[in-house]
Amino acid sequence: MRILIVEDEPDVARQVQVALCKTGYAVDVAFDGEEGHFLGDTEPYDAVVLDLGLPGMGGLNVLERWRRDGHGMPVLILSARDTWREKVTGLRIGADDYLAKPFEMEELLARIEALVRRGAGKASPELSCGPVRIDTTRQKAWVDDTPLTLTAMEYRLLAYLMHHAEAVLSKTELTEHIYAQDEDRDSNIIEVMINRLRNKIGANRICTHRGRGYQLTAEDDG
């Protein structure tokens, strides 16, 4: 799952980035409104943390332009200006949540997790597909009651598949949602990681649709 942080305070941006990376997300950071708008306009994100007091282009303007151009990714507004009028304005132009500075990192992580789930149409932090389960809060995975040992990238890939279980996902979409902008994006690695996941969760749990992509399914076709 891939997150964009648009925040002009370097220390805050770094702390949020580190916390989100530790939680298993791929994270991009922009330090001004124009760069943030450009990334949100051109890259696919599962959620955005958007500060309001940005240089170049204010956060509300960034959000308004995204929504006007049809970008529907969940957006959490982060601002030191904790006024009810600003909250109402942000929510009415398309924000999904609002958190005032200073904030507790655990609360921010919980809110982002909830936005990502809702964006994928999920309600519970524990997702299941057949015998495969993941706990998005603890970044743990199981097949039946057997814990899985996954690398960070394997967990990212499995989490994205679980959030979109039964959907056919192209290699391009998977690549875009599990790699940050500055990571080396090699779509061939997706095939390698798919094979590793098959070895861990069952070969028939991930179907290959030639020319279309991969599908995590609850049915065991084997």
Side-chain angles (χ1 to χ4, degrees), residues 144-192:
D144 293 318
D145 293 323
T146 303
L148 294 177
T149 300
L150 302 172
T151 67
M153 290 300 293
E154 288 169 355
Y155 176 79
R156 280 190 206 172
L157 178 57
L158 180 59
Y160 194 79
L161 290 168
M162 292 289 285
H163 277 85
H164 302 276
E166 304 295 348
V168 178
L169 306 172
S170 70
K171 189 186 296 185
T172 298
E173 179 176 350
L174 293 172
T175 301
E176 288 176 337
H177 282 269
I178 69 169
Y179 285 103
Q181 187 185 32
D182 58 356
E183 291 180 309
D184 184 18
R185 301 186 189 182
D186 185 349
S187 62
N188 292 325
I189 294 179
I190 297 295
E191 295 180 16
V192 174

Side-chain angles (χ1 to χ4, degrees), residues 3-8 16 30 32-34 36-37 47-54 57-64 66-67 73-80 90 93-95 97-99 101 108 112 115:
I3 308 295
L4 173 63
I5 301 168
V6 189
E7 168 61 65
D8 66 323
V16 174
D32 62 66
E34 292 180 354
H37 172 264
V48 178
V49 178
L50 177 65
D51 186 37
L52 292 188
L54 297 168
M57 183 189 303
L60 289 178
N61 289 333
V62 171
L63 176 59
E64 189 171 28
W66 281 340
R67 295 309 192 224
M73 63 282 198
V75 174
L76 168 67
I77 286 179
L78 194 63
S79 178
I93 65 174
D97 202 354
Y98 192 110
L99 186 60
K101 298 178 182 176
L108 173 65
I112 288 296
L115 288 181

Side-chain angles (χ1 to χ4, degrees), residues 72-122:
M73 63 282 198
V75 174
L76 168 67
I77 286 179
L78 194 63
S79 178
R81 296 176 289 183
D82 186 20
T83 68
W84 71 268
R85 291 184 185 277
E86 192 173 62
K87 290 181 182 180
V88 168
T89 300
L91 293 169
R92 282 182 171 168
I93 65 174
D96 299 273
D97 202 354
Y98 192 110
L99 186 60
K101 298 178 182 176
F103 57 89
E104 294 294 333
M105 191 63 70
E106 284 298 318
E107 181 178 3
L108 173 65
L109 294 175
R111 287 172 181 262
I112 288 296
E113 179 190 322
L115 288 181
V116 169
R117 289 201 311 269
R118 290 205 299 269
K122 310 294 183 181

Side-chain angles (χ1 to χ4, degrees), residues 30-52:
F31 295 100
D32 62 66
E34 292 180 354
E35 182 185 8
H37 172 264
F38 174 77
L39 288 175
D41 195 41
T42 58
E43 297 285 339
Y45 291 101
D46 297 291
V48 178
V49 178
L50 177 65
D51 186 37
L52 292 188

